[in-house]
């Protein structure tokens, strides 16, 4: 039953998170009961996601670190700075929207990107290393990005934010990797498959619970909020495209190109939602949560593009 559920979830992932978002929006009085437990559930989800990781995977990727460095630059400099500029251009009077847009594009790469990289035959060690490093560094990168770009305009509990990020992202990831090292890889061979269905359940819980907080904003959409939605869509789509473009310019192979597309485009939106809900006004949560409508659909769209391009290249090679 659990395996069937996991397979079903992976097949329909582009639609699962938007449905969870709408359930939380339509039934906020029920969904908000899960909010106090979101941090703990998310920590467990991070632990499960990191069970396929080992410290040696990072060491191997550092032998050819250029793709990894380029993805970090896209994830934590290019896109966040662009997001801040766009937010400032369109919403100069609303610092909450600016903060939410910047937070949406400051969170680490999504663990679920590993699933898409596997589906489209990407460079798994490269993607794995990006997820591990970005996850471990996120307690420092997220507060630093927010402080530099919007820190003077909004009150932030930086120390509290860092503690929460360490607890729900960095610590579970390190524990999972240590288990793999101490068990000589036995844990990563058995646990991920058994726990994968529970990871999907955690995702449903986190997205549904957090979306209860944005219910008033989505139920009462206005021109400004529709503009925020459009901006998040364009910036989200741009991340994938930029990763692809950089891979072409730097002449990466097919596998690394796939990893760079998803590594530059997919964000751990659930982490951003937890942080926004805990440390910022509710209005900041809207730009973060609205991204759940697009992320999986964009991942599927770019995956189909990758497959078409690869098939076209194979035909040319045959000729």
């Amino acid at each position: 039953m659990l395996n069937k559920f996991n397979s079903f979830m992976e097949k329909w992932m582009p639609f699962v998170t938007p449905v969870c978002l709408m359930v939380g929006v339509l039934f906020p009085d029920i969904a908000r009961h899960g909010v106090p437990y979101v941090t703990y559930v998310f920590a467990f989800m991070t632990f499960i996601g990191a069970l396929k990781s080992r410290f040696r995977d990072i060491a191997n990727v550092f032998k050819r670190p250029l793709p990894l460095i380029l993805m970090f630059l896209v994830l934590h400099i290019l896109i966040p700075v662009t997001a801040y500029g766009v937010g400032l251009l369109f919403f100069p009077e609303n610092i909450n929207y600016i903060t939410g847009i910047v937070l949406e594009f400051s969170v680490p790469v999504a663990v679920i990107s590993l699933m898409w990289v596997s589906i489209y035959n990407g460079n798994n060690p490269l993607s794995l290393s990006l997820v591990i490093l970005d996850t471990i560094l996120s307690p420092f990168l997220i507060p630093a990005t927010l402080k530099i770009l919007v820190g003077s305009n909004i009150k932030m509990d930086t120390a509290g934010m860092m503690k929460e990020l360490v607890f729900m992202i960095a610590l579970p990831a390190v524990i999972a990797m240590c288990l793999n090292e101490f068990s000589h890889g036995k844990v990563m061979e058995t646990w991920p498959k058994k726990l994968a269905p529970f990871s999907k359940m955690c995702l449903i819980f986190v997205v549904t619970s957090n979306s209860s907080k944005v219910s008033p904003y989505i139920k009462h959409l206005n021109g400004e909020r529709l503009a925020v939605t459009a901006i998040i869509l364009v910036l989200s789509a741009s991340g994938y495209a930029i990763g692809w473009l950089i891979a072409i310019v730097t002449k990466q192979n097919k596998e690394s190109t796939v990893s760079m597309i998803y590594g530059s485009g997919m964000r751990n939106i659930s982490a951003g939602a937890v942080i926004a809900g805990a440390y910022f006004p509710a209005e900041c949560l809207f730009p973060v949560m609205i991204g759940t409508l697009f992320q999986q659909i964009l991942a599927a769209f770019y995956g189909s593009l990758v497959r078409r391009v690869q098939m076209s290249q194979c035909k040319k090679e045959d000729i």
Side-chain angles (χ1 to χ4, degrees), residues 35 38 205-214 270 273-274 285 289:
V35 172
V38 161
F205 180 86
V206 169
V207 173
T208 304
S209 300
N210 277 326
S211 60
S212 65
K213 295 181 179 180
V214 293
S270 298
V274 175
L285 188 58
M289 287 303 300

Side-chain angles (χ1 to χ4, degrees), residues 31-311:
R32 69 166 54 101
H33 290 297
V35 172
Y37 310 102
V38 161
T39 300
Y40 306 101
V41 173
F42 192 89
F44 182 59
M45 188 166 68
T46 303
F47 171 77
I48 296 171
L51 280 171
K52 294 180 180 178
S53 311
R54 290 184 298 183
F55 294 108
R56 69 187 68 176
D57 295 322
I58 301 175
N60 290 335
V61 168
F62 268 100
K63 293 175 183 176
R64 293 184 67 236
L66 181 61
L68 191 66
I69 293 168
L70 290 172
M71 284 189 285
F72 261 97
L73 291 175
V74 172
L75 283 167
H76 296 293
I77 296 179
L78 181 58
I79 299 294
V81 170
T82 302
Y84 175 69
V86 171
L88 203 60
L89 178 65
F90 286 94
F91 311 107
E93 304 300 323
N94 194 326
I95 189 60
N96 288 334
Y97 280 157
I98 296 171
T99 302
I101 293 169
V102 171
L103 178 58
E104 163 76 356
F105 296 102
S106 300
V107 292
V109 65
V111 175
I112 203 168
S113 65
L114 298 174
M115 180 190 82
W116 290 101
V117 168
S118 295
I119 290 171
Y120 293 103
N121 302 312
N123 185 332
N124 287 309
L126 174 60
S127 296
L128 203 58
S129 298
L130 176 67
V131 169
I132 295 166
L133 281 174
D134 210 15
T135 298
I136 292 172
L137 293 174
S138 62
F140 310 99
L141 292 173
I142 295 174
T145 303
L146 291 170
K147 194 74 176 175
I148 291 167
L149 295 179
V150 297
S152 60
N153 298 311
I154 195 163
K155 290 182 179 180
M156 286 194 301
D157 179 7
T158 305
M161 195 189 311
M162 288 183 72
K163 286 178 184 176
E164 186 129 359
L165 284 163
V166 167
F167 174 76
M168 72 179 191
I169 298 181
L171 189 60
V174 171
I175 291 172
M177 288 189 288
C178 286
L179 280 173
N180 285 329
E181 295 296 336
F182 294 146
S183 67
H184 303 290
K186 290 181 181 178
V187 166
M188 67 187 299
E189 290 173 6
T190 55
W191 289 24
K193 274 189 178 181
K194 292 180 180 179
L195 294 178
F198 298 101
S199 177
K200 307 298 189 304
M201 293 177 196
C202 290
L203 179 66
I204 291 170
F205 180 86
V206 169
V207 173
T208 304
S209 300
N210 277 326
S211 60
S212 65
K213 295 181 179 180
V214 293
S215 178
Y217 299 100
I218 294 179
K219 282 182 177 178
H220 302 95
L221 279 174
N222 53 29
E224 194 176 46
R225 289 170 194 156
L226 286 171
V228 171
T229 303
I231 286 168
I232 295 295
L233 173 58
V234 171
L235 287 172
S236 297
S238 298
Y240 295 88
I242 290 169
W244 199 341
L245 179 62
I246 292 174
I248 292 170
V249 170
T250 56
K251 298 180 180 179
Q252 301 296 322
N253 59 31
K254 292 177 184 178
E255 292 78 13
S256 294
T257 297
V258 171
S259 292
M260 289 183 72
I261 291 168
Y262 286 108
S264 301
M266 299 199 77
R267 300 279 184 163
N268 198 330
I269 295 174
S270 298
V274 175
I275 293 301
Y279 295 98
F280 297 101
E283 202 171 32
C284 294
L285 188 58
F286 177 77
V288 179
M289 287 303 300
I290 208 69
T292 59
L293 287 174
F294 313 123
Q295 178 151 271
Q296 301 302 328
I297 295 170
L298 284 171
F301 170 74
Y302 274 95
S304 66
L305 284 182
V306 166
R307 187 156 281 170
R308 286 180 192 175
V309 170
Q310 289 178 346
M311 288 176 66

